[in-house]
Structures are given as C-alpha cells and as structure tokens.
Amino acid sequence: DKYKQLPEKMPEKYIWVNIPGYYLWLIDSDTLVFESKIIAGKPETRTPLLTAEISDMITYPTWTVPNSIIVKQYLPRLKNNPNYISKIGLKLINSKGEVVDPNTVTWSKYSRGIPYKVMQGSGDNNSLGVIKFNFDNPYFVYLHDTNQRYLFKNESRALSHGCVRVQEWEKLAYYIADNDSILSTNKATLKYTSDSIRNWLAAKENHRINVKNHIPLYIRYFTCEGKDGKLKFYDDIYGDDRLLIEKYLAKK
C-alpha cells in the first residue's frame, strides 16, 4: 500500500529518505549516486512524511529555535534561571531585531510561548552544522548538517526534533551545485558552483543559495524493503506499522 502511494513513475533525479532505515539515497537515472546515514526525529518529535523539492541551501546558517522546543525545554529552565539561554549560546531577539537581556523578562507569565525569537548564531557549533537544505513544507523541517556528528555512529538514530541530519551533506550540496551547472544554459548567470560552496565553507561565510533546478525529495516510512537481493527489516520506531496491523488485521 505504501508503494502504491508513490508516483507511477518516479522522477529522473530525486532524494529518498527512509526514516526507519536511517538512510538517504540520491538517485539519478535509476542509479544510486550515493547513500548517507541520517538522524531522524525522536518518536515524540517525529520527522514528517512528505514530498517536496530542495529549493535553496544556506551555508553557515543561523538557527531559530522552534516554539515547541522553547515551551517544552527552555521555559521551565528560564523560570528558574533567566541566564539559561545565554549559557547555552543562544540570544533572545525582540520583534525589532534587537537583542534582549533575558534578566529583564518576567518569565513566569509565559506558558504557551514567548513574544521573542530565540536564535543561535552561525558557526561550527551551530546545531544545524555548516549547511542547511530548505524545501517548502508546513512542518518547518529541513535537511542539514549537525554539530553532533559523532551520533552517526549509533545504530538507532531517532534523535532529532524532527529535521533530518545528513552525514554526507557535502556530497549532497556538491551534487545539487553540479546539477545546476550541467543544466544551466547560460553559465554566466549562474551565481554559484561547487567551488563557490567550498570557498564559502572554508571562509565560514553565510550565503543563501537559490537552487535553479529543484531536486524532488521523498521522506517515507518503510520498515521492510528488498536490499542486496534480500528482504531487510527495520525497527518500527514510530509504531506506525503496529497501528496499521491493529487496524487492518484485528478481526482476521
């Protein structure tokens, strides 16, 4: 049933993420260009299933903390210690873009959210790592590098707040750049190349890169697949298959 929900014919080029398998594939003309380990969302902060297209990339991105994290993790600690976010390297920003001293805020009056942004500046210690891949979606998730690359050694990698962390982010970025270069009819108008990205990363510069030829992205949940001539099973980390079994097979 899950395979039936895919397009009858997949695009020539696309990115495939299988959450329970903890991997990302880059497919080009039915050929696996490369495979990467990923880190997916925790069961309580799941990575959503979606179909989208990579629209832009950001080198050395900043990170705006989602409201869900602020409410669940930060607010209880800020009520006891207003310096908490400063201690973990974050800044409080008001609607005018000004930095606010957290000691001047009455944290006790907030419970469902705050009228400020909590942001982390760009750098090697940023939670998003050194590059971020954006795609239009209603869940505010994206693909990105990470400052916790040691976690890719774990066999079970449901560890994020919903975004997908990509181990082979360099291969993905350079493939997208090379694809734009190959398909560009006017090289003079192309505002970036693989070398541009390498130079910006080396200089630790923040740049938004608009992708001219969007790459389709499929994030799916398959706990079973044919791989290397064998049937391979993955843990049902979100319990989705268990619910389907209960729904369809309970009376049989």
Side-chain angles (χ1 to χ4, degrees), residues 198-239:
R198 288 186 180 92
N199 292 335
W200 293 333
L201 290 173
K204 302 187 178 184
E205 293 178 2
N206 172 252
H207 290 267
R208 178 182 289 275
I209 305 161
N210 290 319
V211 177
K212 292 191 69 174
N213 298 280
H214 292 186
I215 307 290
L217 166 68
Y218 297 85
I219 299 181
R220 293 296 189 269
Y221 191 93
F222 284 89
T223 53
C224 175
E225 66 177 346
K227 198 170 186 181
D228 300 325
K230 297 179 180 179
L231 195 58
K232 188 172 181 63
F233 291 90
Y234 305 111
D235 290 339
D236 183 16
I237 55 176
Y238 294 164

Side-chain angles (χ1 to χ4, degrees), residues 38-78:
I38 64 155
I39 293 170
K42 304 172 188 176
E44 60 269 26
T45 54
R46 299 181 176 196
T47 295
L49 308 185
L50 54 82
T51 303
E53 295 180 342
I54 302 295
S55 57
D56 61 276
M57 303 181 282
I58 300 177
T59 59
Y60 275 86
T62 59
W63 180 46
T64 301
V65 182
N67 187 63
S68 58
I69 297 177
I70 293 172
V71 171
K72 292 178 183 178
Q73 296 185 26
Y74 293 177
L75 257 181
R77 294 172 179 173
L78 284 166

Side-chain angles (χ1 to χ4, degrees), residues 75-90:
L75 257 181
R77 294 172 179 173
L78 284 166
K79 289 177 181 180
N80 293 324
N81 179 13
N83 290 316
Y84 171 72
I85 55 173
S86 302
K87 191 176 180 180
I88 59 174
L90 304 178

Side-chain angles (χ1 to χ4, degrees), residues 36-245:
S36 173
K37 290 182 179 180
I38 64 155
I39 293 170
K42 304 172 188 176
E44 60 269 26
T45 54
R46 299 181 176 196
T47 295
L49 308 185
L50 54 82
T51 303
E53 295 180 342
I54 302 295
S55 57
D56 61 276
M57 303 181 282
I58 300 177
T59 59
Y60 275 86
T62 59
W63 180 46
T64 301
V65 182
N67 187 63
S68 58
I69 297 177
I70 293 172
V71 171
K72 292 178 183 178
Q73 296 185 26
Y74 293 177
L75 257 181
R77 294 172 179 173
L78 284 166
K79 289 177 181 180
N80 293 324
N81 179 13
N83 290 316
Y84 171 72
I85 55 173
S86 302
K87 191 176 180 180
I88 59 174
L90 304 178
K91 292 181 180 179
L92 199 64
I93 310 294
N94 65 18
S95 58
K96 297 178 181 179
E98 301 166 336
V99 177
V100 175
D101 182 351
N103 286 287
T104 64
V105 178
T106 307
W107 295 108
S108 58
K109 67 180 183 180
Y110 300 116
S111 58
R112 296 184 179 180
I114 60 175
Y116 306 100
K117 287 183 179 180
V118 177
M119 296 186 66
Q120 184 181 33
S122 64
D124 293 319
N125 292 323
N126 188 283
S127 296
L128 305 184
V130 301
I131 197 163
K132 171 185 175 188
F133 304 87
N134 286 324
F135 46 90
D136 186 37
N137 70 93
Y139 309 103
F140 304 103
V141 297
Y142 27 84
L143 309 181
H144 65 87
D145 174 31
T146 175
N147 64 339
Q148 297 177 308
R149 294 172 187 161
Y150 59 88
L151 293 176
F152 287 111
K153 295 178 181 178
N154 293 8
E155 185 174 342
S156 179
R157 297 189 295 277
L159 303 166
S160 82
H161 290 101
C163 291
V164 176
R165 306 175 193 174
V166 182
Q167 185 177 40
E168 301 291 350
W169 56 268
E170 287 181 283
K171 291 181 180 178
L172 181 57
Y174 299 148
Y175 176 89
I176 292 171
D178 291 342
N179 186 61
D180 267 358
S181 295
I182 291 168
L183 297 178
S184 177
T185 54
N186 186 351
K187 307 295 183 187
T189 63
L190 193 63
K191 296 183 178 179
Y192 80 106
T193 64
S194 293
D195 286 339
S196 303
I197 296 176
R198 288 186 180 92
N199 292 335
W200 293 333
L201 290 173
K204 302 187 178 184
E205 293 178 2
N206 172 252
H207 290 267
R208 178 182 289 275
I209 305 161
N210 290 319
V211 177
K212 292 191 69 174
N213 298 280
H214 292 186
I215 307 290
L217 166 68
Y218 297 85
I219 299 181
R220 293 296 189 269
Y221 191 93
F222 284 89
T223 53
C224 175
E225 66 177 346
K227 198 170 186 181
D228 300 325
K230 297 179 180 179
L231 195 58
K232 188 172 181 63
F233 291 90
Y234 305 111
D235 290 339
D236 183 16
I237 55 176
Y238 294 164
D240 284 5
D241 285 359
R242 177 178 53 77
L243 293 176
L244 289 173
I245 289 169

